[in-house]
Amino acid sequence: MKSRPIYPGLTWAPAAARHLMVAEGEGAGALVDLFAEAPEGAAGRSEILYTAGASAGSDPTSRLSALGARVVHGFPTVETLLFRLTSDLSRADMGLRLYVAGSESFLGRVVALAQTHGIDPLSVIGELRGSLARRVQCVHCKGMTEGVTTSIVTCAHCGLSLFVRDHFSRRLGAFQGVCVDAEVPGEVPAPEVLYP
């Protein structure tokens, strides 16, 4: 699918003046792996923003603090992390490199937010770790439904049965959902699990 982003994995951009790293859930492991190969002086120019997000398990904030980054901030939710990221990006200077690791939904949201601050989505260094569950925008009410793992989902906002298309909007950081029973109301096929 041409519109779906590909995240090749985290690698250092050694010439960057500042490394801003954003991770959610299992994405913390990607940062640990990245710092194992840190060029000299890179850790001191790094800042980490982390949230466990929806993932259950131990909080790796202390493990991330031990990596040697200049600053490590832990956040209770994805929304609070994105609020802080908005502030950081609004004050960013040339030479900043943005790194993101976590679930597909999280990656999409961070890249979309970065784009609103003038960062080209293709310049964000990303690694998919964790869930492939999708963030879906209802094209009818414009509401977002998180954590979608099936081909058909009920919109969390307007209640329509949506077919989840394989079209990814980089601007929204979401896949598109269209009414599945528009022609024959009530005729909704059984959803298929796409991402267990």
Side-chain angles (χ1 to χ4, degrees):
M1 173 182 52
K2 293 181 181 178
S3 70
R4 184 179 205 151
I6 296 171
Y7 303 102
L10 298 185
T11 56
W12 286 98
R18 180 176 167 220
H19 307 279
L20 180 55
M21 301 174 175
V22 184
E24 172 240 12
E26 295 175 35
L31 295 185
V32 171
D33 293 347
L34 179 67
F35 272 80
E37 302 174 6
E40 188 174 336
R45 298 189 316 269
S46 301
E47 180 178 343
I48 296 173
L49 308 180
Y50 173 77
T51 182
S55 68
S58 62
D59 182 359
T61 305
S62 61
R63 192 171 67 160
L64 292 173
S65 296
L67 295 177
R70 188 177 57 81
V71 177
V72 176
H73 295 289
F75 298 90
T77 65
V78 170
E79 285 69 28
T80 55
L81 181 147
L82 294 176
F83 183 78
R84 171 58 187 265
L85 180 59
T86 298
S87 174
D88 283 357
L89 292 177
S90 69
R91 296 179 279 112
D93 295 325
M94 291 297 290
L96 170 84
R97 285 308 299 250
L98 181 62
Y99 303 74
V100 59
S103 67
E104 184 159 42
S105 177
F106 180 74
L107 290 165
R109 291 180 76 180
V110 170
V111 172
L113 177 62
Q115 190 173 5
T116 66
H117 291 277
I119 297 175
D120 184 332
L122 298 176
S123 73
V124 177
I125 302 168
E127 183 167 329
L128 178 61
R129 292 258 183 126
S131 176
L132 292 174
R134 295 174 171 188
R135 180 174 193 237
V136 176
Q137 184 211 35
C138 174
V139 300
H140 308 284
C141 76
K142 308 304 181 203
M144 295 288 185
T145 302
E146 299 286 344
V148 177
T149 60
T150 56
S151 58
I152 297 172
V153 66
T154 301
C155 176
H157 302 273
C158 69
L160 285 177
S161 294
L162 303 175
F163 172 70
V164 181
R165 295 186 58 226
D166 274 338
H167 174 73
F168 183 82
S169 167
R170 289 181 191 269
R171 181 180 63 82
L172 300 171
F175 288 87
Q176 302 298 287
V178 297
C179 183
V180 75
D181 61 343
E183 293 180 10
V184 183
E187 192 175 295
V188 178
E192 296 176 47
V193 175
L194 300 174
Y195 305 110

